[in-house]
Amino acid sequence: MSLSKELLADIPLFNEITEDELVRLDKILSPRIKEYRPGEFLSHPEDILEEIVIVLQGKVHMISEDFWGNQNIIAEFTDHSLFGEAHSISRSPMFFSLAVVKPSTLLSFYAQKLQQPDFQNDSALKKLHSNLMNIIIEKKLDYMRKADILSRRNLREKISAFLSEEYRKKGTSSFHIPYNRQQMADYLSTDRSALSKELSRMKQEGILDYNHNWFHLKSF
């Protein structure tokens, strides 16, 4: 396949890269596109991930799982997002799984392609490196935000911190979250039943309203 402005519109990794530079990157990276079905796993713990992957369309979850099968959603990757950069560049064994949760079209290329000495001075590759660094920094901040949410003392505080962060991102007190109830429980590292009960109590107390993945936060 060939990289193009139309294909890569709104994908941060290719910000400020011209059509001519995309032609060169196509030769340098030799990217490929593949379709995936829900339930397919892209990797498992201890795998060595070799590719950087971009979600052109779809949804992928980064999942950790304990000995008893309890799952925790570490991160979610949707349209135009990227994953696999840290592990593929460092070649460190994975400590989580990557699972497709809705029909997805993924673009991938081998991380080692970014380090070819013959192309290190190419303007296209320099822009790609800069964009990749910005993405890595933003992801670091996202993980710090999640760590802050999970550090709260009890479930209600975790829910409040999570919904407050969604409010901050959306800029409105009424919004949809990207998770169903089980996925929200996994993200908050709690039991679905406990989450549903606490949300019901918060609704009864007039703190918030909700319907499936729609929430409305109420001020006192």
Side-chain angles (χ1 to χ4, degrees):
M1 51 79 57
S2 297
L3 299 177
S4 67
K5 278 290 189 181
E6 182 179 4
L7 177 68
L8 303 176
D10 302 319
I11 295 179
L13 184 63
F14 296 94
N15 282 351
E16 306 298 326
I17 295 178
T18 67
E19 286 279 7
D20 288 342
E21 289 171 332
L22 283 176
V23 172
R24 297 202 301 277
L25 281 177
D26 194 59
K27 294 178 180 178
I28 296 170
L29 302 178
S30 302
R32 64 187 181 93
I33 290 179
K34 188 176 178 180
E35 307 283 339
Y36 293 87
R37 300 186 303 274
E40 288 192 67
F41 279 80
L42 306 176
S43 70
H44 296 87
E46 303 305 322
D47 286 351
I48 299 295
L49 192 66
E50 297 184 341
E51 294 180 296
I52 294 174
V53 184
I54 299 165
V55 182
L56 297 179
Q57 186 176 33
K59 184 182 292 186
V60 175
H61 280 174
M62 179 192 295
I63 301 168
S64 66
E65 187 172 354
D66 65 20
F67 179 83
W68 295 274
N70 300 308
Q71 293 187 343
N72 175 38
I73 298 175
I74 301 173
E76 178 177 83
F77 307 107
T78 55
D79 296 3
H80 310 145
S81 59
L82 173 151
F83 61 87
E85 67 285 352
H87 281 79
S88 59
I89 291 173
S90 67
R91 295 189 59 78
S92 300
M94 303 279 280
F95 55 89
F96 48 76
S97 298
L98 290 166
V100 178
V101 295
K102 65 184 292 187
S104 298
T105 303
L106 307 182
L107 181 153
S108 61
F109 58 88
Y110 287 100
Q112 65 182 16
K113 298 281 188 178
L114 297 174
Q115 301 167 345
Q116 299 179 70
D118 293 345
F119 300 103
Q120 289 306 301
N121 292 321
D122 188 283
S123 62
L125 204 56
K126 285 184 176 180
K127 289 180 182 179
L128 198 73
H129 284 159
S130 177
N131 291 339
L132 183 59
M133 181 58 67
N134 290 334
I135 291 169
I136 290 172
I137 291 170
E138 185 57 39
K139 282 190 177 184
K140 173 68 173 178
L141 295 175
D142 285 341
Y143 294 144
M144 290 173 66
R145 293 184 190 108
K146 181 175 182 180
D148 174 59
I149 292 170
L150 296 183
S151 70
R152 303 306 171 102
R153 293 171 295 181
N154 55 54
L155 181 54
R156 176 168 293 206
E157 290 186 5
K158 290 180 182 180
I159 294 171
S160 299
F162 170 75
L163 294 176
S164 294
E165 178 62 18
E166 291 298 309
Y167 161 74
R168 185 193 67 79
K169 290 191 290 188
K170 303 292 179 17
T172 174
S173 58
S174 296
F175 49 81
H176 288 82
I177 67 171
Y179 305 126
N180 61 32
R181 197 64 76 241
Q182 181 60 59
Q183 291 167 344
M184 182 179 177
D186 290 343
Y187 183 89
L188 295 176
S189 298
T190 190
D191 177 74
R192 176 178 175 173
S193 177
L195 173 64
S196 295
K197 288 178 181 178
E198 191 60 43
L199 285 172
S200 180
R201 282 193 287 264
M202 294 172 77
K203 184 175 183 178
Q204 291 173 2
E205 293 172 19
I207 297 173
L208 53 78
D209 193 11
Y210 63 86
N211 183 28
H212 299 296
N213 69 335
W214 173 83
F215 284 84
H216 172 65
L217 307 186
K218 299 180 178 181
S219 57
F220 296 105

